[in-house]
Amino acid sequence: METNRVEAFSDGVLAIAITIMVLELKTPETPDLHGLAAVLPTLLTYVLSFVYIGIYWTNHHHLMHLTRRVDGGALWANLNLLFWLSVVPFTTRWMDESSLAELPVLVYGINLLAAAVSYTILQTRLIRLQGTGSRLARAIRNDVKGKWSMALYVVGCAGAFVSTWISVAAYVAVAALWIVPDRRIERAVAEGAATGDDGS
């Protein structure tokens, strides 16, 4: 199967997730800095989650750019990823409304960790389908950033029992690590264009 419908469906789900989050934002009750300060925590949690969904969208786009075929297993792996990303608006709102209480911050971290594991499963499945000698496989290699990310998520989840600020720092660190699109795949795309390699 080709990837067009996978990309279109994924784009739609992620766009809806972002829309749901922005609809949760409320305007300040007073037109001054005090009013703005009151909604600032909500705005910052929204920005963090928006960045996360944006990171997944850009990397999913790059991943699919080097993917020529998918199968049923890849479709379900993609749905698994989309499920965890579609839960982000809920865990974001709970974390915000609880004023960074221990359990909501922990659940937010578990949500992010589950999304990262799901992305790795999808990536592994697609590499297997394209072949170990494909441009996708060569671009991903050992995925050091992915492993560091999951380690930081675990630190963030465990840190919630000590201080939720440890968790927040870990979640922000992962976002900072991935804010720049994955250059490995961008380089592989550029190399393929130069050599006429179709990625298979």
Side-chain angles (χ1 to χ4, degrees):
M1 293 178 280
E2 295 182 352
T3 64
N4 297 16
R5 293 189 67 189
V6 176
E7 292 180 79
F9 181 72
S10 301
D11 287 350
V13 171
L14 297 183
I16 290 169
I18 287 174
T19 302
I20 290 171
M21 285 195 304
V22 77
L23 290 175
E24 296 293 336
L25 293 177
K26 296 178 176 61
T27 56
E29 293 184 3
T30 56
D32 51 29
L33 290 177
H34 178 74
L36 181 61
V39 299
L40 190 59
T42 299
L43 183 60
L44 292 176
T45 54
Y46 163 77
V47 169
L48 179 61
S49 293
F50 178 91
V51 167
Y52 264 112
I53 291 179
I55 287 167
Y56 276 103
W57 180 77
T58 56
N59 284 289
H60 187 274
H61 170 74
H62 283 89
L63 188 66
M64 287 297 155
H65 198 80
L66 289 183
T67 299
R68 292 293 174 265
R69 47 192 169 271
V70 295
D71 66 353
L75 294 178
W76 279 107
N78 193 68
L79 283 171
N80 182 41
L81 171 63
L82 294 178
F83 168 77
W84 291 110
L85 293 179
S86 70
V87 176
V88 168
F90 165 74
T91 56
T92 301
R93 181 178 181 183
W94 192 24
M95 182 173 69
D96 169 54
E97 291 184 347
S98 71
S99 299
L100 300 182
E102 178 182 299
L103 182 58
V105 170
L106 171 63
V107 170
Y108 184 76
I110 292 171
N111 186 184
L112 296 179
L113 177 60
V117 170
S118 300
Y119 186 87
T120 301
I121 292 170
L122 173 61
Q123 182 175 265
T124 302
R125 181 65 183 177
L126 293 177
I127 289 173
R128 187 174 300 156
L129 283 172
Q130 312 318 302
T132 54
S134 65
R135 274 197 292 148
L136 178 60
R138 295 196 304 269
I140 298 300
R141 295 192 184 92
N142 57 4
D143 195 20
V144 174
K145 282 174 69 172
K147 292 171 183 174
W148 270 107
S149 298
M150 282 192 264
L152 284 169
Y153 287 138
V154 171
V155 169
C157 291
F161 296 103
V162 179
S163 168
T164 54
W165 289 109
I166 295 175
S167 305
V168 171
Y171 305 154
V172 170
V174 177
L177 186 65
W178 285 99
I179 196 84
V180 176
D182 198 332
R183 298 301 183 195
R184 296 169 301 171
I185 292 183
E186 286 188 347
R187 284 193 294 269
V189 170
E191 289 168 6
T195 61
D197 184 354
D198 66 356
S200 58

